[in-house]
Amino acid sequence: MASSDQLTREVILPVPPEEAWDSLTKEAELEAWFADEVELDPRPGGEATFRWDGRGSRRAIVEEVEEPRRFAFRWDELPDGATRSEGGPGTQVVFTLHDHPSGTRLVVVESGWRAAAPLGALKAHLSAMALA
Amino acid sequence: MHQVDAVFAALADPTRRQVIERLAAGSDVTATQLASEIPITRQAVAKHLGALTAAHLATAERHGRETRYTLVPDGLSDAAGWMADVGLRWDERLGALQKKVEGRRQA
């Protein structure tokens, strides 16, 4: 059972951060890996809409843009008809781009999961009970 | 609305998160006990407990004159499942990104 407030994943890309940056912030590039259709205004406060074939869509608001090192957005609150599996409700996604001998180490952290603290308390409680 | 959506909607309020954390950490509790532990009125506690019960995060049982509230873990488990699903989606996306970038380099 997850009790952390954050999901973290990373990948090594064989291009420098300046190039990897385009994959995160240009609509045509995002459509090759993130979603089937992307509309994105990559400026703080900019709106994003992501659509997946047969699965619905989600919206997000861009929060941080520090080319080519940091790009962050916040998912919407999951209105009816939106696709759940793509992200949390109101969670923040932060991409950071780090130098790596092979090119770029891209790290993504999705945080602000509201069930995290209750899940942590439940896990601790169940562990304590198991030891009783 | 999908059940787990109701869970996250219920957890959107920070006071309700506090209440659920309290239920998750210990045994059952009455509205009066909660009102003495959390700095809000007993009416507000009752309202929040109603929302949590409606989202199937808690159940209410009458014991004589008092109503005791207990956590229902299933909703939180569903929420954990959602987080795990999103983790898998990130694995898929980053794999696709890596493949795309590597493919372009070789072109």
Side-chain angles (χ1 to χ4, degrees):
Chain A
M1 208 168 8
S3 56
S4 168
D5 174 61
Q6 296 183 343
L7 287 177
T8 304
R9 295 290 192 276
E10 58 179 72
V11 70
I12 307 297
L13 301 174
V15 292
E18 292 72 19
E19 209 178 308
W21 177 262
D22 289 346
S23 296
L24 303 179
T25 55
K26 293 200 148 72
E27 292 171 344
E29 306 235 356
L30 282 162
E31 285 172 353
W33 66 279
F34 191 86
D36 297 313
E37 273 177 62
V38 176
E39 286 163 31
L40 171 65
D41 176 5
R43 297 174 297 178
E47 292 186 6
T49 304
F50 303 103
R51 284 184 195 89
W52 293 268
D53 291 338
R55 281 199 279 158
S57 64
R58 292 292 298 276
R59 300 177 82 140
I61 301 289
V62 175
E63 292 192 329
E64 298 169 54
V65 183
E66 291 166 32
E67 182 169 359
R69 295 292 174 185
R70 188 177 175 91
F71 179 65
F73 64 81
R74 184 175 299 276
W75 285 115
D76 60 15
E77 288 295 331
L78 208 65
D80 287 341
T83 175
R84 296 166 47 244
S85 58
E86 297 298 332
T91 50
Q92 190 191 36
V93 172
V94 180
F95 293 101
T96 50
L97 296 86
H98 310 264
D99 293 327
H100 186 274
S102 302
T104 301
R105 183 168 70 93
L106 174 67
V107 180
V108 58
V109 176
E110 183 163 347
S111 65
W113 292 90
R114 295 166 195 148
L119 278 166
L122 178 60
K123 193 170 167 186
H125 176 59
L126 290 174
S127 299
M129 277 173 54
L131 292 168
Chain B
M1 184 161 57
H2 194 281
Q3 183 54 39
V4 71
D5 295 355
V7 166
F8 273 103
L11 293 176
D13 180 287
T15 306
R16 287 201 289 267
R17 288 202 289 279
Q18 228 182 327
V19 171
I20 274 295
E21 223 179 308
R22 168 64 182 81
L23 291 180
S27 52
D28 57 1
V29 77
T30 63
T32 308
Q33 276 172 314
L34 273 173
S36 73
E37 291 177 22
I38 296 172
I40 59 174
T41 64
R42 202 191 164 289
Q43 289 96 312
V45 165
K47 198 175 69 137
H48 288 311
L49 285 168
L52 292 168
T53 310
H56 302 289
L57 280 164
T59 57
E61 258 184 43
R62 285 202 70 84
H63 293 261
R65 277 190 304 177
E66 49 174 35
T67 301
R68 305 196 69 84
Y69 292 86
T70 317
L71 178 77
V72 177
D74 308 50
L76 291 182
S77 293
D78 286 349
W82 186 347
M83 291 171 66
D85 286 347
V86 174
L88 290 175
R89 269 306 277 139
W90 279 117
D91 293 334
E92 285 171 8
R93 288 175 187 141
L94 295 180
L97 172 58
Q98 191 178 51
K99 213 165 138 182
K100 183 200 84 137
V101 172
E102 285 173 352
R104 258 213 324 232
R105 288 203 78 223
Q106 283 151 22

